Amino acid sequence: MSNFKLKKPLRHFLDLAALTPEEARQIIEKAKVLKATATGEGQGKGFIHPDRPLADKSLAMVFEKPSTRTRVSFEMSIHQLGGTAIVLQGNDMQLGRGESVSDTAQVLSGFVDAVMLRADSHESLLEMAAHATVPVINALTDFSHPCQVMADVLTFEEHRGPIKGKKIAWSGDGNNVAVSWIHAAVLFDCELVLACPKEFCPPTQVLEWAVNNGGRVTLTHDPAEAAKDADCIITDTWVSMGDTEAAERIAILAPYQVNRKLMQEAKKDSLFMHCLPAHRGEEVTDEVIDGPRSVIWDEAENRLHIQKSILMWCFGK
Ligand code: CP
Ligand code: NVA
C-alpha cells in the first residue's frame, strides 16, 4: 500500500530558487538565534538545545561524493536539536549496486523523517524528492549548493550587516556554488557580478531566471571589473568533484585567481569567502585566504548553524 499513500505537501530544500525571499530571510534570522543559543561562554559543541525541537526526528545523510564540512555540520546540527542522524555512503548502499533512486527514496521515507543527499547529478536529487514522502535536502549536486550559500549570506551579515544592496563579486568557475549565489542574489536583493571565462560560465537559463526575477546579476570575463568596489569577493575550486580535464581547466581559469592585486580592486574592507576545500596557489593565494579580510573559518562554522535552521524549516518549526 505504501506506494499509494497520499503525499502531504513537503518542504524540500532543493534550491534557493524555490524559496520565497521571506522564507530565505526567515531561515537566516532563525540561524542567528540558534547560533547565539549554541555558542554561549564555555558551551561544548555537543550542546543540545534545551527545547530539543527535533527530538523525535531522524535524518538519513546520503553521500555519493566526499564531504568534510557538510557531513560533520549536518550530523552535529541534528544532534544539537535533539534528533538522530544516519550517515550513508552511496557506494555502501544498494544504490551503489544499481537500486533505483526512486525505490531508495521510498524505502528511506519509511525509516527516517528527512533525507539529505549529496548527489553526483542534480537529476538524482529531483528523483529522490519526487519519490520521497519526507523532506529532501540538497547537500550539493553538480548544479547547485544551496546550504553553502545560505551559510555564506549568514557570514556576510555577521561581518557587514544586511546584504541587501551590497556588491558581491565571484571570480572563477561558474559552478554549483556560483549558481546558488545567483539564486541568493535575487532572494536577498544584492548585486552579484560574476567573472568567469567563456568556457566556464554559469548556465544561461540560471542567469536568465535571475534577470526575469528582477535580480541585479551580471556576467563579465574581466575579474577586475567584477571586483571593482565589491563588498565581498568569492571564489571556489577550479576543479569540482566530478570535473574532468583538470589541467585544461586550471590553465583557462588562471587569470581568475583571487590574489592581492584583485583584492585591491574591491572596497578596503571587502571580505573574502570560499566554501572550501581550497586549492591554495590556484584559485586563491595564501596571502588572501589567510589574510585579515578572509572569513573562511566563520563561513565553515556557519554551515552548522544554518543547517539547524534549514532542518527546522523543513519540519515546519
Ligand atoms: N563546502 C563544502 O560543502 O565542503 P565539504 O565538501 O567538505 O562538505
Ligand atoms: N564546487 C565544489 C564545491 C565543494 C564544496 C565541488 O562541487 O566540488
Side-chain angles (χ1 to χ4, degrees):
M1 288 300 288
S2 63
N3 283 348
F4 301 100
K5 73 185 163 200
L6 282 175
K7 287 187 197 173
K8 56 181 186 306
L10 293 171
R11 279 189 169 183
H12 297 304
F13 188 83
L14 301 181
D15 258 323
L16 300 186
L19 298 180
T20 64
E22 293 73 27
E23 285 174 310
R25 175 50 59 191
Q26 179 199 328
I27 292 170
I28 295 287
E29 294 308 315
K30 183 162 274 180
K32 291 176 185 172
V33 174
L34 288 165
K35 181 171 181 175
T37 313
T39 52
E41 182 74 26
Q43 190 107 265
K45 302 285 192 304
F47 157 91
I48 299 182
H49 194 292
D51 299 340
R52 295 177 177 256
L54 301 187
D56 64 343
K57 301 297 185 211
S58 53
L59 174 72
M61 301 165 54
V62 180
F63 289 94
E64 293 184 345
K65 294 178 173 183
S67 170
T68 299
R69 281 143 287 266
T70 304
R71 149 116 208 224
V72 178
S73 59
F74 260 110
E75 194 164 349
M76 290 308 294
S77 296
I78 192 133
H79 169 83
Q80 290 195 354
L81 298 175
T84 306
I86 301 171
V87 180
L88 299 157
Q89 301 299 332
N91 280 339
D92 294 341
M93 300 171 70
Q94 297 292 7
L95 192 62
R97 291 183 58 244
E99 185 168 18
S100 69
V101 173
S102 55
D103 286 359
T104 304
Q106 298 202 54
V107 169
L108 290 178
S109 298
F111 294 137
V112 295
D113 299 293
V115 175
M116 184 231 79
L117 176 61
R118 170 164 284 197
D120 287 326
S121 124
H122 199 72
E123 293 307 311
S124 299
L125 177 82
L126 299 180
E127 193 179 341
M128 183 73 85
H131 295 275
T133 55
V134 298
V136 173
I137 299 172
N138 176 356
L140 182 146
T141 68
D142 55 343
F143 176 68
S144 58
H145 197 3
C147 295
Q148 176 66 54
V149 172
M150 289 293 278
D152 295 358
V153 171
L154 173 61
T155 307
F156 182 91
E157 295 205 336
E158 283 179 347
H159 285 269
R160 292 288 178 268
I163 197 167
K164 181 174 176 168
K166 295 291 197 310
K167 180 178 176 183
I168 309 297
W170 177 275
S171 185
D173 185 15
N175 65 11
N176 43 5
V177 180
V179 163
S180 288
W181 258 108
I182 295 169
H183 293 155
V186 173
L187 287 179
F188 294 102
D189 196 18
C190 58
E191 184 187 353
L192 175 65
V193 185
L194 301 118
C196 309
K198 64 179 187 337
E199 293 86 347
F200 302 120
C201 289
T204 309
Q205 72 272 21
V206 177
L207 293 164
E208 284 172 0
W209 172 87
V211 171
N212 293 339
N213 285 279
R216 290 179 278 168
V217 177
T218 50
L219 178 66
T220 172
H221 303 309
D222 177 3
E225 183 190 329
K228 183 102 188 105
D229 297 328
D231 295 283
C232 181
I233 299 188
I234 311 175
T235 192
D236 186 16
T237 180
W238 293 338
V239 187
S240 284
M241 294 179 275
D243 281 342
T244 55
E245 315 296 340
E248 186 189 329
R249 297 180 67 87
I250 291 167
I252 292 170
L253 284 153
Y256 294 81
Q257 183 187 66
V258 181
N259 49 34
R260 186 212 301 223
K261 191 161 172 278
L262 193 65
M263 289 300 290
Q264 279 169 350
E265 300 286 344
K267 285 192 180 146
K268 277 198 167 47
D269 67 346
S270 153
L271 301 176
F272 169 76
M273 290 207 272
H274 189 310
C275 65
L276 305 178
H279 297 74
R280 292 158 175 266
E282 291 184 11
E283 73 272 9
V284 60
T285 57
D286 281 335
E287 185 183 26
V288 170
I289 199 167
D290 296 328
R293 292 148 80 178
S294 171
V295 290
I296 54 164
W297 307 131
D298 291 342
E299 193 183 350
E301 183 193 325
N302 279 335
R303 294 294 305 279
L304 168 65
H305 305 296
I306 204 72
Q307 253 111 247
K308 284 184 283 187
S309 191
I310 291 168
L311 285 165
M312 297 276 278
W313 178 82
C314 287
F315 289 123
K317 305 241 182 202

